[in-house]
Coordinates of all heavy atoms in Angstrom, one line a residue:
Chain A
T77 N 0.8 22.7 -19.1 CA 2.0 23.1 -19.7 C 1.9 22.9 -21.3 O 2.4 23.8 -22.0 CB 3.3 22.2 -19.3 OG1 2.9 20.9 -19.3 CG2 3.8 22.7 -18.0
G78 N 1.2 21.9 -21.7 CA 1.0 21.8 -23.2 C 0.1 22.9 -23.6 O 0.5 23.6 -24.7
W79 N -0.9 23.3 -22.9 CA -1.7 24.4 -23.3 C -0.9 25.8 -23.3 O -0.9 26.6 -24.2 CB -2.9 24.6 -22.4 CG -3.6 25.9 -22.5 CD1 -4.5 26.3 -23.5 CD2 -3.5 26.9 -21.6 NE1 -4.9 27.5 -23.3 CE2 -4.4 28.0 -22.1 CE3 -2.9 27.1 -20.4 CZ2 -4.5 29.2 -21.4 CZ3 -3.0 28.4 -19.7 CH2 -3.8 29.4 -20.3
E80 N -0.2 25.9 -22.2 CA 0.6 27.2 -22.0 C 1.6 27.4 -23.2 O 1.8 28.4 -23.7 CB 1.3 27.0 -20.7 CG 2.1 28.2 -20.2 CD 1.1 29.4 -19.7 OE1 0.3 29.0 -18.7 OE2 1.3 30.4 -20.2
M81 N 2.2 26.2 -23.6 CA 3.2 26.2 -24.7 C 2.5 26.7 -26.0 O 3.0 27.5 -26.7 CB 3.8 24.9 -24.7 CG 4.9 24.7 -25.8 SD 4.1 23.9 -27.2 CE 4.9 24.8 -28.5
A82 N 1.3 26.0 -26.2 CA 0.6 26.3 -27.5 C 0.1 27.8 -27.5 O 0.2 28.4 -28.5 CB -0.6 25.4 -27.7
R83 N -0.3 28.3 -26.3 CA -0.7 29.7 -26.2 C 0.4 30.6 -26.5 O 0.2 31.5 -27.3 CB -1.3 29.9 -24.8 CG -1.9 31.2 -24.6 CD -2.4 31.4 -23.2 NE -1.3 31.3 -22.2 CZ -0.7 32.4 -21.7 NH1 -1.1 33.6 -22.1 NH2 0.3 32.3 -20.9
R84 N 1.6 30.3 -26.0 CA 2.7 31.2 -26.2 C 3.2 31.2 -27.7 O 3.6 32.1 -28.3 CB 3.8 30.9 -25.3 CG 3.4 31.3 -23.9 CD 4.6 31.2 -22.9 NE 4.0 31.5 -21.6 CZ 4.7 31.6 -20.5 NH1 6.0 31.4 -20.5 NH2 4.0 31.8 -19.4
A85 N 3.1 29.9 -28.3 CA 3.5 29.8 -29.7 C 2.4 30.6 -30.5 O 2.8 31.0 -31.6 CB 3.6 28.4 -30.0
G86 N 1.2 30.7 -30.0 CA 0.3 31.6 -30.7 C -0.3 31.0 -32.0 O -0.8 31.8 -32.8
S87 N -0.2 29.7 -32.2 CA -0.8 29.2 -33.4 C -1.4 27.8 -33.1 O -1.0 27.2 -32.1 CB 0.1 29.2 -34.6 OG 1.0 28.1 -34.5
D88 N -2.3 27.3 -33.9 CA -2.9 26.0 -33.6 C -2.5 25.0 -34.7 O -3.3 24.1 -35.0 CB -4.4 26.2 -33.7 CG -4.9 27.4 -33.1 OD1 -4.2 27.8 -32.0 OD2 -5.8 28.1 -33.5
N89 N -1.4 25.1 -35.3 CA -1.1 24.1 -36.4 C -0.5 22.8 -35.8 O -0.4 22.7 -34.6 CB -0.1 24.7 -37.4 CG 1.3 25.0 -36.7 OD1 1.7 24.4 -35.8 ND2 1.9 26.1 -37.2
W90 N -0.3 21.8 -36.7 CA 0.1 20.5 -36.2 C 1.4 20.5 -35.5 O 1.6 19.8 -34.5 CB 0.1 19.6 -37.5 CG -1.2 19.0 -37.8 CD1 -2.1 19.5 -38.6 CD2 -1.8 17.8 -37.2 NE1 -3.2 18.7 -38.6 CE2 -3.0 17.7 -37.7 CE3 -1.3 16.9 -36.2 CZ2 -3.9 16.6 -37.4 CZ3 -2.2 15.9 -35.9 CH2 -3.4 15.7 -36.5
G91 N 2.3 21.3 -36.0 CA 3.7 21.4 -35.4 C 3.5 21.7 -33.9 O 4.1 21.1 -33.0
V92 N 2.7 22.8 -33.6 CA 2.6 23.2 -32.3 C 1.9 22.1 -31.4 O 2.3 21.9 -30.3 CB 1.8 24.6 -32.3 CG1 1.4 24.9 -30.8 CG2 2.5 25.7 -32.9
F93 N 0.9 21.5 -32.0 CA 0.2 20.4 -31.3 C 1.2 19.3 -30.9 O 1.2 18.8 -29.7 CB -1.0 19.9 -32.1 CG -1.6 18.6 -31.6 CD1 -2.3 18.7 -30.4 CD2 -1.4 17.4 -32.2 CE1 -2.9 17.6 -29.9 CE2 -1.9 16.3 -31.6 CZ -2.7 16.3 -30.5
L94 N 1.9 18.9 -31.9 CA 2.9 17.8 -31.6 C 3.9 18.2 -30.5 O 4.2 17.4 -29.6 CB 3.5 17.3 -32.8 CG 2.6 16.6 -33.9 CD1 3.4 16.2 -35.1 CD2 2.0 15.4 -33.2
L95 N 4.3 19.4 -30.6 CA 5.3 19.9 -29.7 C 4.6 20.0 -28.3 O 5.2 19.6 -27.3 CB 5.8 21.3 -30.0 CG 7.0 21.8 -29.3 CD1 8.2 20.8 -29.5 CD2 7.4 23.2 -29.7
S96 N 3.4 20.4 -28.2 CA 2.7 20.4 -26.9 C 2.5 19.1 -26.3 O 2.6 18.9 -25.1 CB 1.3 21.1 -27.1 OG 0.4 20.3 -27.7
L97 N 2.4 18.0 -27.2 CA 2.3 16.7 -26.6 C 3.7 16.3 -26.0 O 3.7 15.8 -24.9 CB 2.1 15.7 -27.8 CG 0.7 15.5 -28.3 CD1 0.6 14.5 -29.4 CD2 -0.3 15.2 -27.2
V98 N 4.8 16.7 -26.7 CA 6.1 16.4 -26.2 C 6.3 17.1 -24.8 O 6.7 16.5 -23.9 CB 7.1 16.8 -27.2 CG1 8.5 16.6 -26.6 CG2 7.0 15.8 -28.4
I99 N 6.0 18.4 -24.8 CA 6.2 19.2 -23.7 C 5.3 18.7 -22.5 O 5.8 18.6 -21.3 CB 5.8 20.7 -24.0 CG1 6.7 21.2 -25.1 CG2 5.9 21.5 -22.6 CD1 7.8 22.0 -24.6
G100 N 4.0 18.4 -22.8 CA 3.1 17.9 -21.8 C 3.7 16.6 -21.1 O 3.7 16.4 -19.9
A101 N 4.1 15.6 -22.0 CA 4.7 14.4 -21.5 C 5.9 14.7 -20.7 O 6.1 14.0 -19.6 CB 5.0 13.5 -22.7
A102 N 6.8 15.6 -21.1 CA 8.0 15.9 -20.4 C 7.7 16.4 -19.0 O 8.3 16.1 -18.0 CB 8.9 16.8 -21.2
A103 N 6.7 17.3 -19.0 CA 6.3 17.9 -17.7 C 5.8 16.9 -16.7 O 6.2 16.8 -15.6 CB 5.3 19.0 -17.9
G104 N 4.9 16.0 -17.3 CA 4.4 14.9 -16.4 C 5.5 14.0 -16.0 O 5.5 13.6 -14.8
A105 N 6.5 13.7 -16.9 CA 7.5 12.8 -16.5 C 8.4 13.4 -15.4 O 8.9 12.8 -14.4 CB 8.4 12.5 -17.7
A106 N 8.7 14.7 -15.6 CA 9.6 15.4 -14.6 C 8.9 15.5 -13.2 O 9.6 15.1 -12.2 CB 9.9 16.8 -15.1
F107 N 7.7 15.8 -13.2 CA 6.9 15.8 -12.0 C 6.9 14.4 -11.3 O 7.2 14.3 -10.1 CB 5.5 16.3 -12.3 CG 4.7 16.7 -11.0 CD1 5.3 16.8 -9.8 CD2 3.3 17.0 -11.2 CE1 4.5 17.1 -8.7 CE2 2.6 17.3 -10.1 CZ 3.2 17.3 -8.8
A108 N 6.7 13.4 -12.1 CA 6.6 12.1 -11.6 C 7.9 11.6 -11.0 O 8.1 11.1 -9.9 CB 6.1 11.1 -12.6
A109 N 9.0 11.9 -11.7 CA 10.3 11.5 -11.3 C 10.7 12.2 -10.0 O 11.2 11.6 -9.0 CB 11.4 11.9 -12.3
F110 N 10.3 13.5 -9.9 CA 10.5 14.2 -8.7 C 9.8 13.6 -7.5 O 10.3 13.4 -6.5 CB 10.1 15.7 -9.0 CG 9.9 16.5 -7.7 CD1 11.0 17.2 -7.1 CD2 8.7 16.6 -7.0 CE1 10.9 17.9 -6.0 CE2 8.6 17.3 -5.9 CZ 9.7 18.0 -5.3
T111 N 8.5 13.3 -7.8 CA 7.7 12.7 -6.8 C 8.4 11.4 -6.2 O 8.5 11.2 -5.0 CB 6.3 12.3 -7.3 OG1 5.8 13.5 -7.8 CG2 5.4 11.8 -6.2
E112 N 8.8 10.5 -7.1 CA 9.4 9.3 -6.7 C 10.7 9.6 -5.9 O 11.0 9.0 -4.8 CB 9.7 8.4 -7.9 CG 9.9 6.9 -7.5 CD 11.3 6.6 -7.0 OE1 12.3 7.3 -7.3 OE2 11.4 5.6 -6.2
F113 N 11.5 10.4 -6.4 CA 12.8 10.6 -5.9 C 12.8 11.3 -4.6 O 13.5 11.0 -3.6 CB 13.6 11.4 -6.9 CG 15.1 11.1 -6.8 CD1 15.6 9.9 -7.4 CD2 16.0 12.0 -6.2 CE1 16.8 9.6 -7.3 CE2 17.4 11.6 -6.2 CZ 17.8 10.4 -6.7
V114 N 11.9 12.3 -4.4 CA 11.9 13.1 -3.2 C 11.0 12.6 -2.1 O 11.3 12.6 -0.9 CB 11.5 14.6 -3.6 CG1 11.5 15.5 -2.3 CG2 12.6 15.2 -4.5
L115 N 9.8 12.0 -2.5 CA 8.8 11.7 -1.5 C 8.7 10.2 -1.4 O 8.8 9.7 -0.2 CB 7.5 12.2 -1.9 CG 7.4 13.8 -1.9 CD1 6.0 14.2 -2.4 CD2 7.7 14.4 -0.6
I116 N 8.5 9.5 -2.4 CA 8.2 8.0 -2.3 C 9.4 7.2 -1.7 O 9.3 6.3 -0.9 CB 7.8 7.4 -3.7 CG1 6.6 8.2 -4.2 CG2 7.5 5.9 -3.6 CD1 5.4 8.1 -3.5
R117 N 10.6 7.6 -2.3 CA 11.8 6.8 -1.9 C 12.1 6.8 -0.4 O 12.6 5.8 0.2 CB 12.9 7.4 -2.7 CG 14.2 6.6 -2.5 CD 15.2 6.9 -3.5 NE 14.7 6.2 -4.8 CZ 15.6 5.9 -5.8 NH1 16.8 6.3 -5.7 NH2 15.1 5.3 -6.9
R118 N 11.7 7.9 0.3 CA 12.0 8.0 1.7 C 11.1 7.0 2.5 O 11.4 6.7 3.6 CB 11.6 9.4 2.2 CG 12.4 10.5 1.6 CD 11.7 11.8 2.0 NE 12.7 12.8 1.9 CZ 13.5 13.1 3.0 NH1 13.3 12.5 4.1 NH2 14.4 14.1 2.9
L119 N 10.0 6.6 1.9 CA 9.1 5.8 2.6 C 9.1 4.4 2.0 O 8.0 3.7 1.9 CB 7.7 6.4 2.5 CG 7.6 7.8 3.1 CD1 6.2 8.4 2.7 CD2 7.7 7.7 4.6
Y120 N 10.3 3.9 1.6 CA 10.4 2.6 0.9 C 9.6 1.5 1.7 O 9.8 1.4 3.0 CB 11.8 2.3 0.9 CG 12.2 1.0 0.2 CD1 11.8 0.9 -1.2 CD2 12.7 -0.1 0.8 CE1 12.0 -0.3 -1.8 CE2 12.9 -1.2 0.2 CZ 12.6 -1.4 -1.2 OH 12.9 -2.6 -1.8
Q121 N 8.8 0.8 1.1 CA 8.0 -0.3 1.7 C 6.9 0.1 2.6 O 6.3 -0.8 3.2 CB 9.0 -1.3 2.4 CG 9.9 -2.0 1.5 CD 9.2 -3.2 0.9 OE1 8.7 -4.0 1.6 NE2 9.2 -3.3 -0.4
R122 N 6.8 1.4 2.9 CA 5.7 1.7 3.8 C 4.5 2.2 2.9 O 4.4 3.4 2.7 CB 6.1 2.8 4.7 CG 7.4 2.3 5.5 CD 7.6 2.7 6.9 NE 7.3 4.0 7.3 CZ 8.2 4.9 7.6 NH1 9.5 4.7 7.4 NH2 7.8 6.1 7.9
H123 N 3.7 1.3 2.5 CA 2.8 1.5 1.4 C 1.7 2.5 1.7 O 1.4 3.4 0.9 CB 2.1 0.3 0.9 CG 3.2 -0.7 0.4 ND1 4.1 -0.3 -0.5 CD2 3.4 -2.0 0.7 CE1 4.8 -1.4 -0.8 NE2 4.5 -2.4 -0.1

Side-chain angles (χ1 to χ4, degrees):
Chain A
T77 42
W79 164 77
E80 189 71 59
M81 181 262 142
R83 186 178 64 95
R84 291 191 185 181
S87 83
D88 317 325
N89 62 33
W90 275 93
V92 171
F93 169 70
L94 291 177
L95 192 61
S96 75
L97 283 181
V98 173
I99 300 260
F107 190 9
F110 167 85
T111 305
E112 198 280 332
F113 212 75
V114 175
L115 299 176
I116 305 293
R117 183 159 288 201
R118 298 168 155 274
L119 297 168
Y120 184 63
Q121 292 278 305
R122 308 217 315 255
H123 298 311

